């Protein structure tokens, strides 16, 4: 580690980097470390340099099955633990993660590349799912009703599902695990996590910290792998597995759903997005540009919630584009631990290639580059923050999830035509609307087919709000009061007295 980084980020960075060098050569199963059964290794690189920073154990299908069996044993006892006690374990997890914010954030920067401030924000967000679900754990409600005939009582309660497979993405190496894990544990389940091969370090360290926070052995198992298909095929057939919770692309989600159908497993799917960001002529343009920067650029522009298409009323399209281009051009791009950086690299070379190809195709089709439009001339996977003006409605860059720092602007003159454009996608995760006219904003929000709308807001994620999509953006919800029930069954007992 360089002296500069050590002096700026201190002991937490040093600890995180030391861990990279020597630890996590094993899988986390049944509350402890164990070797992978075939000695496979996964190389983890730093996207800011492309250098290999760590090697972790790669699990086999046999390791996945061992983790499922450990989860099965642990879950039987955990389901009997009183909700208050489970809640207190979750609260202790929240405190432990908060206490390790700097270390976890540095680990996230190392393997994901996002700026340190975003990584710290992610740890706070990740920890908050434990605090929120500690509160939800003691409020899982049932129902008692008298049958219409009057003959019997209808008693409904919500036992845990059992063992849950969690397949998590690299864009939030901590928070996309805890958004699933905290409610799953609160409801009385045990889990087997397959973290992404790009960011397994945070997942392994999380499991270790949660164990220190009091999570009983076997409840949280982390098995990274290089052979995801075989891992999943084996685990999904383990007789104790009753649910699959996935965050990632719609393409992969469809494959997981098909396979989960073989065992009729419960599923929660948080899939891709293609968010329209609508700016009306009466919007506060300063607020709209500020919101656009957040909606587009948070976490290095690699979020499913990211604004993907800017639909701007023609009267302000030029002005909005110019202001957005100015804000994007001012973004300092670099390694996440470099001082002043607010946009890191993309996760890997294929992502860089995809973003670059989408921009080139849009430009060839007639879009103009207001700023950016190129890769950065340095090692790592960097792309310049880019604004494209005059993008043709329906062109590929408005149809694909970009997952990079590129803002295509399409202008509109008619509200109905804009709504048709906004909804002309199989995705329906998020949308954004900027206008000073609240009733227009609400009416337009209701017409956009998306599970989450930011109305005069560029950030909408909140553990207390239901996160999830319509259409092919997903099934089910995470967070809010709904999230914990996704990890529960519903049992009805007919009785009378
Ligand atoms: C995601 O990109 O999947 C999550 C974004 C968020 O929670 O804000």
């Amino acid at each position: 580690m360089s002296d500069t980084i050590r002096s700026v980020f201190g002991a937490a960075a040093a600890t995180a980097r030391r861990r990279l060098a020597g630890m996590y050569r094993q899988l986390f199963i049944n509350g402890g470390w164990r070797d992978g059964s075939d000695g496979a290794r996964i190389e983890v690189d730093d996207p800011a340099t492309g250098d290999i920073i760590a090697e972790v154990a790669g699990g086999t299908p046999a390791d996945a099955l061992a983790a499922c069996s450990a989860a099965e044993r642990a879950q039987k006892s955990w389901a009997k633990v009183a909700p208050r006690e489970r809640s207190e374990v979750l609260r202790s997890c929240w405190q432990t993660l908060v206490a390790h914010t700097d270390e976890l954030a540095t680990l996230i920067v190392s393997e994901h590349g996002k700026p340190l401030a975003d990584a710290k924000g992610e740890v706070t967000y990740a920890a908050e799912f434990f605090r929120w679900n500690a509160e939800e754990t003691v409020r899982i409600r049932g129902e008692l009703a008298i049958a219409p005939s009057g003959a019997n009582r209808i008693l409904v309660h919500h036992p845990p599902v059992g063992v849950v497979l969690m397949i998590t993405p690299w864009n939030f190496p901590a928070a996309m695990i805890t958004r699933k894990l905290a409610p799953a544990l609160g409801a009385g389940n045990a889990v087997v996590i397959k973290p992404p091969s790009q960011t397994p370090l945070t997942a392994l360290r999380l499991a270790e910290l949660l164990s220190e926070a009091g999570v009983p052995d076997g409840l949280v198992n982390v098995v990274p792998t290089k052979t995801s298909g075989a891992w999943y095929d084996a685990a999904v057939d383990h007789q104790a597995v009753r649910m699959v919770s996935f965050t990632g692309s719609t393409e992969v989600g469809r494959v997981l759903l098909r396979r989960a159908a073989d065992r009729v497993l419960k599923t929660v799917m948080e899939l891709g997005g293609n968010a329209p960001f609508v700016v009306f002529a009466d919007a506060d343009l300063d607020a709209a540009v500020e919101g656009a920067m957040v909606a587009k650029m948070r976490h290095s522009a690699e979020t499913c919630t990211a604004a993907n298409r800017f639909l701007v009323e023609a009267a302000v399209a030029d002005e909005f584009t110019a202001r957005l281009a100015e804000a994007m051009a001012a973004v300092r791009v670099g390694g996440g631990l470099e001082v002043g950086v607010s946009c890191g690299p993309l996760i890997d070379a294929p992502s860089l290639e995809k973003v670059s190809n989408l921009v080139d195709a849009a430009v060839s089709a007639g879009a103009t580059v207001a700023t950016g439009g190129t890769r950065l001339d340095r090692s790592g996977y960097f792309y310049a923050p880019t604004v494209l003006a005059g993008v043709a409605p329906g062109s590929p860059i408005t149809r694909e999830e970009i997952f990079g720092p590129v803002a295509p602007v399409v202008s509109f003159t008619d509200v109905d035509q804009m709504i048709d454009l906004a909804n002309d996608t199989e995705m329906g995760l998020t949308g954004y609307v900027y206008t000073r006219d609240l009733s227009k904003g609400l009416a337009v929000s209701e017409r956009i087919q998306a599970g989450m709308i930011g109305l005069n807001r560029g950030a909408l994620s909140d553990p207390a709000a239901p996160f999830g999509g319509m259409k092919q953006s997903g099934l089910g919800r995470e967070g809010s009061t709904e999230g914990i029930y996704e990890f529960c069954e519903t049992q009805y007992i007919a009785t009378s007295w």
Side-chain angles (χ1 to χ4, degrees), residues 373-457:
T374 52
R375 301 169 191 227
L376 295 199
D377 186 18
R378 57 178 281 178
S379 61
Y381 315 119
F382 291 96
Y383 199 82
T386 296
V387 176
L388 298 176
V391 173
S395 62
I397 200 157
T398 66
R399 295 195 165 277
E400 293 255 351
E401 188 174 25
I402 303 169
F403 244 66
V406 179
V409 181
V410 177
S411 70
F412 73 88
T413 47
D414 175 79
V415 176
D416 290 333
Q417 172 224 3
M418 178 277 289
I419 296 283
D420 287 347
L421 277 180
N423 290 334
D424 184 21
T425 166
E426 284 307 326
M427 301 303 157
L429 190 63
T430 41
Y432 301 87
V433 179
Y434 272 77
T435 172
R436 281 196 172 94
D437 178 345
L438 194 55
S439 57
K440 177 166 78 180
L442 286 167
V444 166
S445 297
E446 284 183 2
R447 292 178 69 193
I448 294 177
Q449 297 161 347
M452 299 174 281
I453 304 285
L455 177 52
N456 295 322
R457 281 191 55 83

Side-chain angles (χ1 to χ4, degrees), residues 125 171-172 176 179 247 298 302-305 461 467:
Y125 180 46
N171 62 341
F172 286 79
M176 293 305 99
R179 190 161 74 190
T247 296
R298 62 190 272 274
E302 293 173 309
T303 66
C304 305
T305 52
S461 303
F467 189 104

Side-chain angles (χ1 to χ4, degrees), residues 138-160:
V138 288
R139 307 206 198 302
I140 297 174
R141 296 270 182 243
E143 192 179 292
L144 174 64
I146 301 173
S149 66
N152 66 300
R153 298 290 194 272
I154 295 167
L155 180 63
V156 177
H157 75 125
H158 296 289

Side-chain angles (χ1 to χ4, degrees), residues 140-219:
I140 297 174
R141 296 270 182 243
E143 192 179 292
L144 174 64
I146 301 173
S149 66
N152 66 300
R153 298 290 194 272
I154 295 167
L155 180 63
V156 177
H157 75 125
H158 296 289
V161 168
V163 174
V164 183
L165 297 184
M166 296 185 169
I167 298 162
T168 60
W170 46 260
N171 62 341
F172 286 79
M176 293 305 99
I177 291 178
T178 60
R179 190 161 74 190
K180 302 173 185 306
L181 179 58
L185 293 180
N189 301 284
V191 311
V192 177
I193 301 168
K194 189 197 84 56
S197 56
Q198 295 94 332
T199 61
L201 298 164
T202 306
L204 291 162
R205 178 64 178 143
L206 265 183
E208 192 177 36
L209 285 172
L210 299 182
S211 173
E212 285 167 31
V215 172
D217 291 351
L219 283 190

Side-chain angles (χ1 to χ4, degrees), residues 51-322:
D51 296 342
I52 304 302
I53 53 168
E55 279 188 355
V56 302
T60 62
D63 297 320
L65 291 174
C68 292
S69 296
E72 179 183 17
R73 288 190 298 275
Q75 196 267 335
K76 289 199 171 98
S77 329
W78 181 241
K80 293 186 200 134
V81 171
R84 173 62 70 206
E85 213 179 305
R86 294 204 302 261
S87 164
E88 277 162 10
V89 171
L90 264 61
R91 199 170 164 84
S92 161
C93 293
W94 166 62
Q95 287 164 329
T96 301
L97 297 191
V98 169
H100 289 81
T101 298
D102 288 353
E103 182 206 329
L104 283 168
T106 311
L107 209 46
I108 290 171
V109 175
S110 301
E111 60 181 350
H112 175 278
K114 65 179 71 177
L116 188 68
D118 279 348
K120 285 188 179 181
E122 180 183 342
V123 178
T124 305
Y125 180 46
E128 203 55 46
F129 285 105
F130 279 103
R131 179 157 66 158
W132 172 262
N133 283 288
E135 290 153 0
E136 293 306 290
T137 294
V138 288
R139 307 206 198 302
I140 297 174
R141 296 270 182 243
E143 192 179 292
L144 174 64
I146 301 173
S149 66
N152 66 300
R153 298 290 194 272
I154 295 167
L155 180 63
V156 177
H157 75 125
H158 296 289
V161 168
V163 174
V164 183
L165 297 184
M166 296 185 169
I167 298 162
T168 60
W170 46 260
N171 62 341
F172 286 79
M176 293 305 99
I177 291 178
T178 60
R179 190 161 74 190
K180 302 173 185 306
L181 179 58
L185 293 180
N189 301 284
V191 311
V192 177
I193 301 168
K194 189 197 84 56
S197 56
Q198 295 94 332
T199 61
L201 298 164
T202 306
L204 291 162
R205 178 64 178 143
L206 265 183
E208 192 177 36
L209 285 172
L210 299 182
S211 173
E212 285 167 31
V215 172
D217 291 351
L219 283 190
V220 177
N221 304 277
V222 179
V223 184
T225 184
K226 284 209 297 200
T227 53
S228 300
W231 186 110
Y232 181 68
D233 256 350
V236 99
D237 278 340
H238 190 286
Q239 47 84 28
V241 168
R242 291 303 323 145
M243 178 170 174
V244 178
S245 177
F246 171 65
T247 296
S249 71
T250 298
E251 197 186 351
V252 173
R254 283 192 203 102
V255 174
L256 301 185
L257 277 168
R258 276 189 208 109
R259 189 66 180 84
D262 292 341
R263 292 201 54 244
V264 196
L265 298 182
K266 207 169 191 300
T267 56
V268 168
M269 297 275 140
E270 298 297 351
L271 307 178
N274 181 2
F277 188 105
V278 178
V279 182
F280 282 103
D282 65 358
D284 172 343
L285 281 197
D286 290 336
V289 170
E290 199 182 313
M293 290 302 291
V294 175
K296 179 77 246 178
M297 297 299 286
R298 62 190 272 274
H299 301 270
S300 300
E302 293 173 309
T303 66
C304 305
T305 52
N308 209 56
R309 302 167 283 154
F310 290 81
L311 308 181
V312 185
E313 198 160 7
V316 293
D318 288 347
E319 190 181 349
F320 176 81
T321 305

